[in-house]
Amino acid sequence: MSAASKTPREDAKTGEQTDGDISGSSVEQYLIRDPEQFALNLARMVEEAGKAASAWVQPREKGEINDSANDQLTDMVKTFSKLTEYWLGDPNRALEAQTRLFSGYIGVWQNALLRAGGDTRSDGSVEPERGDRRFQDPEWGRNAFFDFLKQAYLVTSRWAADLVENADGLDAHTKHKAGFYMKQVSNAISPSNFILTNPELFRETIASNGENLIRGMKMLGEDIAAGKGELKVRQGDYSRFSVGKNIAVTPGKVVARSDLAEIIQYTPTTETVFKRPLLICPPWINKFYILDLNPQKSFIRWAVEQGHTVFVISWVNPDERHGAKDWEAYTRDGLQFALDSIETATGESEVNAIGYCVGGTLLTAALALMAQEGDDRISTATFFTTQIDFTHAGDLKVFVDEEQVAAVERSMSGKGFLEGTRMAAAFNMLRSGDLIWPYVVNNYMRGKDPVPFDLLYWNADSTRMAAANHSFYLRNCYLDNTLSQGRMELAGRTLSLSDIVIPVYSLAAREDHIAPAKSVFVGCHHFGGPVDFVMAGSGHIAGVVNPPEAGKYQYWSGARPVGEFENWVENAVETKGSWWPHWQSWMESHSDERVAARQPGTRSQVLGDAPGTYVKTRV
């Protein structure tokens, strides 16, 4: 920000005048000081906007992109039409809804009139929910205009949410979709997202004579170009990170490779190790190094330090060659290939296995299949935020019904895969208030580069989905829930989860929006053997990647996962800190025999250094 933009302001906490920024409540801060320069910068902004538009249009003119957003928009319109039909189908019901909205508006208007008359004692204003960071600037409360916009928006968005909540005539799936789409629209139209209705953006634009808009449009064009015609919102400064250099740096070797997976064996750091090797089956949505972000956050490094001989499956980032690879292929050429490789590298035929998210779902199906085939190499199974019963699968179910799945299958039929940006966009939409709109405002309106953050680098390092594999997953898990119902067919066999009788450690995360804790809990009912259920604090990533040294969050443990989830939570014991030591104790309770440490390559080939080559393929 230029020196000319620094004007005194009243500190929000002390009420004193401070130098160096521009959030005072005077009208002058919203007046253009240099109209000529401002107009010139607006012209430059339009030029950059034209480049962004060109980056969006060209791939479509060349036929390189088929707009999948049209399918999503169509589904949203159909869903809202059903919601509208419900409310307009009964005149009394419609009148009631209109009355509630107008009553809210009257309250906002009355409050505004009281403030205009100098009455600041009124406490009837509508305030954001706790934790809502969009309206933190003092002007949202001090300036009558922005305060009015804020309150009108909050009244409208809450009224719209209530429309969905009280639409008892809608079926559960339509109601779920309506709530999700309503939340997306509400987040999108927030006055905090627009220059003229956000006091902070307005001030910055005036103070810099619109230079922020030039930078923002330039970044917009760059992000559309990076997405090859799709907007790929940057969430961090990705230039600071490189896989194998300052991310995924735990020492190890690639000891095997198939068309679908590289198998990495990590170098021991202890003189003796547990006799049973540990195999990690990560999701193929994003990449395995979420468990090896950096030395301080690395579960892989920590497990090695505890004495585990750690092997990890690094999935290929699929392309046209992998379109026909289905769940049987991922089982045979991924999971069982890894077990074969472990036996070659260590001589051990008994293995402890971990599955994370969809990697855990695959591991579950594979265990049921292996039980029928007499393959008992996996002795214990640990599941990180893994769903096997999708009855309570959360907001991702919004994207899954027959019509939408068929549309996804059509989009994959040409290339043989689903573009990584499609899955990334879906996951970002689950938390659009955190993962989309703050970056839209920061990047394209404020014109500021986002800060470097290793987790968001990983989040942006998306992967494609092989067509056959993804179709099988959507239909058998989210759409038809066949795995938990004993109807999933894999390799010519009908799977039964009751055949899985090995000890299971199932970890859920309390605030998980991808694999809700209740969904994970219910899935535990289907196993045929003993299950220990633990619920970590935080969400899908932070709840899992929580090293003990950080001293963060907590976890709950207790009785076997039977009965209702809410009852289990009520009676569970809360323990501060990381769940990792709890898991380690559980592992040792099932096998604590140790042998001399095993160096990668002693009994097997070495194809390269960890983290391998597959993980470095970007989309």
Side-chain angles (χ1 to χ4, degrees), residues 28-322:
E28 287 78 9
Q29 64 187 319
Y30 300 112
L31 299 179
I32 298 173
R33 297 184 178 88
D34 189 343
E36 184 177 349
Q37 184 62 48
F38 192 85
L40 179 61
N41 286 341
L42 285 184
R44 292 173 60 194
M45 180 205 71
V46 172
E47 180 182 354
E48 293 294 342
K51 295 177 182 178
S54 178
W56 188 85
V57 169
Q58 284 184 3
R60 289 161 175 78
E61 291 180 338
K62 295 176 181 178
E64 297 172 354
I65 288 182
N66 293 318
D67 270 318
S68 59
N70 293 335
D71 295 327
Q72 195 88 49
L73 183 61
T74 298
D75 186 69
M76 184 176 71
V77 171
K78 289 181 178 178
T79 302
F80 282 160
S81 295
K82 293 178 181 178
L83 179 66
T84 303
E85 288 174 7
Y86 170 79
W87 283 102
L88 295 183
D90 183 336
N92 292 331
R93 195 158 53 210
L95 179 61
E96 175 194 350
Q98 292 172 356
T99 301
R100 279 191 281 112
L101 178 62
F102 292 148
S103 176
Y105 285 158
I106 289 172
V108 172
W109 184 250
Q110 287 176 336
N111 188 57
L113 291 176
L114 288 173
R115 289 197 55 177
D119 184 353
T120 59
R121 296 171 298 171
S122 173
D123 58 356
S125 60
V126 184
E127 295 300 329
E129 294 180 3
R130 190 173 185 177
D132 190 339
R133 294 176 292 180
R134 294 174 296 179
F135 305 104
Q136 289 183 327
D137 188 276
E139 285 287 271
W140 287 110
R142 286 197 306 227
N143 185 291
F145 171 71
F146 293 116
D147 183 51
F148 180 85
L149 287 177
K150 176 192 70 177
Q151 292 192 58
Y153 163 74
L154 292 173
V155 165
T156 305
S157 60
R158 290 171 185 174
W159 171 81
D162 287 342
L163 285 185
V164 177
E165 182 66 26
N166 297 319
D168 298 328
L170 297 181
D171 64 89
H173 183 59
T174 300
K175 189 174 183 178
H176 190 180
K177 289 200 297 182
F180 178 81
Y181 288 140
M182 193 68 78
K183 184 177 180 180
Q184 302 308 310
V185 172
S186 294
N187 285 341
I189 65 172
S190 170
S192 60
N193 296 337
F194 303 95
I195 293 169
L196 296 180
T197 56
N198 181 328
E200 189 175 9
L201 288 177
F202 202 150
R203 291 196 307 268
E204 290 189 18
T205 302
I206 296 301
S208 68
N209 284 316
E211 290 180 4
N212 57 311
L213 304 181
I214 301 172
R215 297 191 302 268
M217 286 301 102
K218 186 174 184 295
M219 292 174 68
L220 177 64
E222 292 170 350
D223 288 355
I224 294 175
K228 299 178 181 178
E230 302 279 5
L231 176 58
K232 188 175 183 179
V233 179
R234 72 182 83 176
Q235 297 170 325
D237 181 359
Y238 306 143
S239 65
R240 305 288 185 91
F241 303 105
S242 179
V243 173
K245 293 184 179 180
N246 58 1
I247 280 184
V249 296
T250 299
K253 303 292 182 182
V254 177
V255 296
R257 181 182 294 123
S258 70
D259 286 343
L260 283 178
E262 288 183 330
I263 310 303
I264 302 170
Q265 179 183 356
Y266 287 91
T267 304
T269 59
T270 54
E271 292 185 1
T272 63
V273 294
F274 292 104
K275 188 174 187 294
R276 285 183 190 167
L278 176 65
L279 171 63
I280 299 177
C281 180
W284 50 83
I285 302 172
N286 287 96
K287 298 176 180 178
F288 80 87
Y289 65 83
I290 186 59
L291 296 175
D292 192 26
L293 277 177
N294 62 49
Q296 292 73 41
K297 299 178 184 177
S298 175
F299 176 83
I300 291 173
R301 178 183 291 263
W302 184 86
V304 169
E305 292 172 348
Q306 306 315 300
H308 294 284
T309 304
V310 178
F311 290 80
V312 171
I313 299 172
S314 176
W315 298 106
V316 73
N317 203 337
D319 55 32
E320 292 86 350
R321 300 168 297 169
H322 306 96

Side-chain angles (χ1 to χ4, degrees), residues 302-415:
W302 184 86
V304 169
E305 292 172 348
Q306 306 315 300
H308 294 284
T309 304
V310 178
F311 290 80
V312 171
I313 299 172
S314 176
W315 298 106
V316 73
N317 203 337
D319 55 32
E320 292 86 350
R321 300 168 297 169
H322 306 96
K325 298 290 187 180
D326 57 11
W327 265 43
E328 182 179 359
Y330 273 69
T331 300
R332 304 300 192 196
D333 300 335
L335 191 59
Q336 290 183 312
F337 174 71
L339 294 173
D340 295 339
S341 303
I342 290 172
E343 191 164 359
T344 299
T346 66
E348 297 294 337
S349 59
E350 292 186 8
V351 175
N352 297 314
I354 295 175
Y356 192 172
C357 191
V358 67
T361 310
L362 177 74
L363 174 60
T364 305
L367 284 169
L369 175 64
M370 291 164 64
Q372 292 191 28
E373 295 179 339
D375 186 343
D376 59 357
R377 288 179 287 179
I378 296 179
S379 300
T380 70
T382 297
F383 298 105
F384 295 168
T385 59
T386 293
Q387 297 181 102
I388 59 174
D389 186 325
F390 288 75
T391 304
H392 306 286
D395 283 344
L396 278 176
K397 291 186 74 173
V398 166
F399 302 107
V400 182
D401 51 40
E402 179 58 43
E403 190 173 350
Q404 292 187 88
V405 171
V408 170
E409 290 172 336
R410 287 194 300 271
S411 72
M412 296 189 296
S413 61
K415 294 181 179 180

